[in-house]
Amino acid sequence: DTGVSQNPRHKITKRGQNVTFRCDPISEHNRLYWYRQTLGQGPEFLTYFQNEAQLEKSRLLSDRFSAERPKGSFSTLEIQRTEQGDSAMYLCASSNSGRVTYEQYFGPGTRLTVT
Amino acid sequence: GQSLEQPSEVTAVEGAIVQINCTYQTSGFYGLSWYQQHDGGAPTFLSYNALDGLEETGRFSSFLSRSDSYGYLLLQELQMKDSASYFCALLTGGGNKLTFGTGTQLKVEL
């Protein structure tokens, strides 16, 4: 399977704990995106990487959120001191770079539940 | 910033044609994309309009009018498997990020 993969698929954590999610993009894609989706809403952009450089972060992304993409391959998204409002589906997507690359390939997501 | 509005729900019968509308506000964008998402699944790309007019991909067509800040997705010969949520999304920025609409849940009935 050469699609985007995400781990874990589900995560239940207690409020105040830290969690980390992993995304493995399609191997030849150098752009990687993180989105967050809550029930009944469309995905919301969080951040994106071109290779290992994090080039944009949404104002939605508080200081408790950090993302990395070492060596421009897989990426991790860490949430520190989780809050109940962080409960959502966290989606990763990848694409090729270019002036305009309109097709993003999404992974299955990590569903986070904060109790 | 950007905002996009879609009807929350549309119901149609198998074999019919349905149109899902999308109106948007933005200061600039490359184009309008459409994604399909089944319950519990990942969004998957359906169509993209960079220019005004109609783009056809099999049973799906998408339309964009920049002057009216409006687009739509047209699904023909509806099948039960088309029951899903459909999102329009503006493609913006140097990184080509997507700003998604509120989504339309399509229910296809027999």
Side-chain angles (χ1 to χ4, degrees), chain A residues 7 12 16 18 30 51 55 57 73 75 83 100 102 106 108-109:
Chain A
N7 288 289
I12 300 174
N18 299 344
N30 51 12
N51 300 311
L55 296 184
K57 291 170 61 172
S73 55
S75 176
E83 302 172 356
V100 180
Y102 52 81
F106 283 80

Side-chain angles (χ1 to χ4, degrees), chain B residues 50-109:
Chain B
L51 304 174
D52 284 4
L54 195 67
E55 289 287 338
E56 297 181 71
T57 310
R59 294 189 298 115
F60 300 141
S61 302
S62 59
F63 173 83
L64 175 64
S65 169
R66 287 176 178 262
S67 59
D68 295 321
S69 297
Y70 165 74
Y72 66 73
L73 179 70
L74 193 72
L75 296 86
Q76 303 182 73
E77 301 172 16
L78 280 176
Q79 302 175 9
M80 297 297 290
K81 68 178 182 179
D82 297 329
S83 293
S85 292
Y86 292 83
F87 296 92
C88 57
L90 292 171
L91 190 71
T92 63
N96 299 159
K97 70 180 184 185
L98 292 167
T99 301
F100 284 84
T102 51
T104 299
Q105 186 169 16
L106 172 64
K107 295 182 181 178
V108 180
E109 299 175 336

